[in-house]
């Protein structure tokens, strides 16, 4: 059985369903979410993941996401992040206090890393920033005490 993640635009819940199902109803608010596969999301809202312990391991943000709200993944349990080619900004406090985050590779399509974006990621050891990044905000990597390696890839 293949599963597909669907997002409810009314209550922001994300659930997996059998991909062969025709009618998909949100179990939280009973909205029809058949036309909202997660890979079609273009904005990641703060209410989806902020402080969510179930967001752990490797986080792959789907291609097509153009915007992430401030603090969207703040305090989550991610260990590694893969950014999409469609994203240009990593917003204020986006990954703040992600204590398990160990490695970050920021691709050249990201132009701005906003203030405090990775503040307090106390396990962050490796950071690679591509040549296309134009601005790194104040304190973007503050309190990342284990940061051992910072490099660029051209």
């Amino acid at each position: 059985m293949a599963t597909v993640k669907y997002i409810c635009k009314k209550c922001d819940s994300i659930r997996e369903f059998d991909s062969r199902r025709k009618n998909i109803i949100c179990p939280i608010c009973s909205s029809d979410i058949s036309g909202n596969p997660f890979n079609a999301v273009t904005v990641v809202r703060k209410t989806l993941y902020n402080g969510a312990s179930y967001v752990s391991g490797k986080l792959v943000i789907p291609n097509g996401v153009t915007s992430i709200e401030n603090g969207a993944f703040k305090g989550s349990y991610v260990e590694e992040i893969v950014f999409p080619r469609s994203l240009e900004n990593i917003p204020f406090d986006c990954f703040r206090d992600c204590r398990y985050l160990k490695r970050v590779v920021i691709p050249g399509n990201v132009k701005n890393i906003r203030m405090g974006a990775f503040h307090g990621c106390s396990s962050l050891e490796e950071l690679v920033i591509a040549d296309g990044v134009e601005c790194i905000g104040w304190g973007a990597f503050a309190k990342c005490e284990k940061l051992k390696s910072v490099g660029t890839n051209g």
Side-chain angles (χ1 to χ4, degrees):
M1 173 179 83
T3 61
V4 174
K5 288 184 180 179
Y6 287 84
I7 183 169
C8 179
K9 291 182 179 178
K10 184 175 181 183
C11 72
D12 289 332
S13 68
I14 296 176
R15 298 286 186 257
E16 286 189 4
F17 294 95
D18 183 335
S19 61
R20 297 170 293 186
R21 281 180 73 172
K22 299 281 188 233
N23 297 323
I24 301 171
I25 304 299
C26 176
I28 308 272
C29 68
S30 302
S31 296
D32 182 356
I33 60 174
S34 303
N36 302 330
F38 184 68
N39 63 0
V41 170
T42 58
V43 177
V44 176
R45 293 177 28 194
K46 178 166 58 175
T47 53
L48 285 176
Y49 298 111
N50 190 299
S53 61
Y54 63 84
V55 180
S56 61
K58 185 175 185 177
L59 171 66
V60 178
I61 300 172
N63 207 19
V65 169
T66 57
S67 179
I68 300 174
E69 287 187 353
N70 295 342
F73 296 96
K74 183 177 178 180
S76 66
Y77 288 36
V78 297
E79 295 174 22
E80 183 180 355
I81 307 159
V82 177
F83 293 100
R85 291 185 196 125
S86 52
L87 188 67
E88 291 189 4
N89 296 296
I90 299 173
F92 173 76
D93 282 351
C94 188
F95 296 96
R96 185 184 189 104
D97 298 327
C98 290
R99 298 179 311 225
Y100 302 97
L101 185 60
K102 296 177 183 166
R103 182 172 191 266
V104 174
V105 177
I106 300 173
N109 52 283
V110 172
K111 303 298 177 210
N112 300 295
I113 303 168
R114 301 288 185 205
M115 183 173 70
F118 296 92
H119 183 281
C121 294
S122 55
S123 296
L124 184 62
E125 296 177 354
E126 183 182 359
L127 172 64
V128 178
I129 302 174
D131 287 342
V133 175
E134 298 170 359
C135 177
I136 299 175
W138 182 84
F141 297 96
K143 297 196 177 181
C144 296
E145 293 93 4
K146 293 187 180 177
L147 192 57
K148 299 176 189 172
S149 172
V150 177
T152 62
N153 60 4

